[in-house]
């Protein structure tokens, strides 16, 4: 085994150089190869060293850009193997819909956290053993006609959600 370039590797970069260039691990490049995303330009049969050329760097650049968009590797593989622009447009539109759903869900969770923090703040700052009048916004009230025995906070939350079903 030698480190001198051969006729097959002239002008090509070794896997470590490409990994460093793209700020990836060698393991990630090998994973991309196993998934069929990025085949080396040349694999030295004696040493097993992998070499990459400009075509692979271009593909890796595309992969990197699509990973930033959080596109799954399977969809990226489908695009880099077909280079079908219509396919990419559909995949990006689906990704955008998914991200929008995640954003709405995160906003919902954030509102719940805000409500819990407000409750905790009130609980920590409420004077005990004192009765006082406060102004509060109008609230809905529900009446249970049956006995509820929740085993934990999640069970109680579920019961509350059942009450809210169909309420306006």
């Amino acid at each position: 085994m030698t480190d001198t370039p051969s006729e097959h590797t002239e002008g090509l970069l070794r896997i470590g150089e490409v990994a460093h260039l793209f700020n990836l691990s060698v393991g990630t490049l090998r994973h991309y190869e196993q998934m069929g995303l990025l085949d080396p330009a040349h694999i030295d049969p004696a040493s097993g060293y992998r070499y990459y050329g400009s075509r692979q760097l271009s593909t890796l650049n595309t992969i990197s850009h699509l990973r930033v968009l959080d596109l799954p590797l399977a969809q990226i593989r489908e695009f880099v193997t077909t280079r079908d622009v219509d396919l990419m447009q559909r995949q990006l539109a689906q990704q955008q819909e998914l991200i929008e759903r995640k954003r709405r869900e995160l906003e919902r969770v954030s509102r719940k956290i805000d409500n819990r923090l407000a409750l905790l703040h009130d609980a920590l700052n409420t004077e005990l053993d004192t009765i006082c009048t406060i102004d509060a916004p109008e609230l809905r009230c529900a009446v249970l006609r049956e006995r509820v025995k929740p085993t934990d906070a999640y069970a109680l939350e579920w019961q509350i959600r059942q009450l809210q079903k169909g309420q306006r």
Side-chain angles (χ1 to χ4, degrees):
M1 287 193 268
T2 67
D3 268 354
T4 57
S6 71
E7 62 187 66
H8 300 292
T9 62
E10 189 69 41
L12 300 177
L13 299 172
R14 291 172 85 176
I15 192 169
E17 295 168 316
V18 173
H20 181 73
L21 187 65
F22 281 86
N23 199 27
L24 297 170
S25 69
V26 169
T28 298
L29 292 175
R30 290 182 188 272
H31 180 67
Y32 288 173
E33 181 184 349
Q34 289 171 348
M35 286 196 66
L37 278 164
L38 183 71
D39 291 325
H42 177 73
I43 299 175
D44 185 300
S47 66
Y49 289 164
R50 287 158 168 74
Y51 295 89
Y52 299 85
S54 59
R55 177 173 284 149
Q56 288 76 29
L57 298 181
S58 175
T59 299
L60 191 53
N61 196 41
T62 300
I63 293 167
S64 296
H65 285 296
L66 295 175
R67 289 300 293 151
V68 167
L69 301 177
D70 208 25
L71 220 60
L73 289 177
Q75 288 183 1
I76 294 172
R77 179 184 60 231
E78 192 175 358
F79 174 70
V80 296
T81 56
T82 65
R83 296 293 180 172
D84 182 346
V85 175
D86 291 333
L87 170 69
M88 180 49 52
Q89 286 178 318
R90 287 191 306 274
Q91 289 176 337
L92 289 175
Q94 289 171 349
Q95 186 68 3
Q96 193 169 34
E97 289 172 16
L98 175 67
I99 289 169
E100 183 58 30
R101 281 195 303 272
K102 286 180 182 179
R103 186 190 60 77
R104 286 192 306 267
E105 177 64 19
L106 288 172
E107 285 175 353
R108 188 181 66 77
V109 170
S110 179
R111 285 191 305 273
K112 282 187 170 193
I113 290 171
D114 287 343
N115 290 338
R116 297 293 174 161
L117 286 171
L119 288 172
L120 286 171
H121 180 267
D122 288 346
L124 290 171
N125 294 305
T126 299
E127 202 174 314
L128 300 178
D129 298 327
T130 303
I131 297 174
C132 62
T133 304
I134 60 168
D135 289 325
E138 192 175 299
L139 299 173
R140 291 187 308 192
C141 181
V143 177
L144 287 174
R145 303 266 184 233
E146 59 188 60
R147 188 167 188 82
V148 176
K149 294 182 184 178
T151 56
D152 58 27
Y154 294 111
L156 180 60
E157 182 83 15
W158 185 83
Q159 292 290 340
I160 291 169
R161 295 294 165 247
Q162 295 305 309
L163 279 172
Q164 290 176 333
K165 280 186 178 177
Q167 298 290 319
R168 296 276 178 237

